[in-house]
Amino acid sequence: MPSMNYDDLFHIGIIVPDMAQGMAEIAKRFGVTFPRPPGTSEVIVRTAAGEAKVGVQAVYTAEGPPYLELIEGVAGTVWEAGEGSRIHHLGAFVDDIEDEVQRLTAEGAELEATLDIRGGLLAVSYVNSALGVRQELLPATMREGMMANLQAEAP
C-alpha cells in the first residue's frame, strides 16, 4: 500500500535546455510567474555509475501546489535535456524516504539516483519504473519550510 497520496504531490519537474527561454515560455503558456531568479545548488549525485558533484540550476513557480519546477539540463546526468523540454519527475513529500524507496523497488521500480544537497541537509531520491514516470521523493520534514518559503514569494 502506498505511503504517499495525491496530497503529498509538491511539484512537477520540467527539464529545459535553456533556463531563460524555458521560464519565458512556461510563463507565457501557463500564466505562471517566477518570484525569484533561478538558483544554483551544488549536488552530490549517486547512481549505479558512481558519484559526481554537479551544479544544478532550478526555479519554482509562485503558483502551486503543485508547483512547476524548471531545471536547466545538465549533459551526462539524470537531468539530461535531450531534444527540447520534457517533464522529468513528480516530486512528493514522504515520511521516510528509505522505506518508500524499499516499497517502490519491491514493486519493480528502480532507484535511479540519490542526491545530497547542501551538505546532506536535504536527501532526495529519484525512483523510476517501466512506465517512465519518475518520482522525486522529498523528506516530509522539509514540507512546512519549503511551502512557507514558496508561498511567501507568491505575488
Side-chain angles (χ1 to χ4, degrees):
M1 176 157 121
S3 67
M4 73 175 92
N5 59 49
Y6 189 79
D7 292 337
D8 296 321
L9 183 61
F10 168 57
H11 69 277
I12 300 167
I14 302 170
I15 302 295
V16 296
D18 176 85
M19 183 60 78
Q21 182 181 18
M23 288 173 68
E25 183 174 332
I26 295 295
K28 180 179 175 184
R29 290 182 65 201
F30 297 102
V32 296
T33 57
F34 296 93
R36 70 164 88 167
T40 301
S41 295
E42 291 293 319
V43 179
I44 297 172
V45 181
R46 293 180 187 90
T47 66
E51 183 176 298
K53 189 173 186 179
V54 179
V56 180
Q57 187 179 48
V59 66
Y60 287 92
T61 58
E63 297 75 18
Y67 297 90
L68 298 180
E69 175 193 31
L70 303 188
I71 304 167
E72 189 166 72
V74 181
T77 71
V78 69
W79 302 286
E80 184 83 47
E83 294 294 319
S85 301
R86 63 183 171 90
I87 293 178
H88 184 262
H89 63 265
L90 301 178
F93 293 109
V94 296
D95 291 329
D96 188 311
I97 290 177
E98 289 181 22
D99 283 353
E100 192 64 11
V101 166
Q102 185 176 18
R103 182 187 70 78
L104 292 168
T105 56
E107 292 176 0
E110 176 187 350
L111 176 60
E112 190 173 40
T114 61
L115 316 176
D116 289 332
I117 302 169
R118 294 182 217 119
L121 294 178
L122 175 60
V124 175
S125 293
Y126 284 127
V127 179
N128 210 342
S129 68
L131 183 60
V133 178
R134 181 180 289 113
Q135 290 172 273
E136 180 183 69
L137 307 176
L138 301 155
T141 57
M142 300 295 290
R143 179 193 305 255
E144 188 175 315
M146 290 179 81
M147 296 298 281
N149 185 39
L150 290 170
Q151 291 168 354
E153 295 172 0

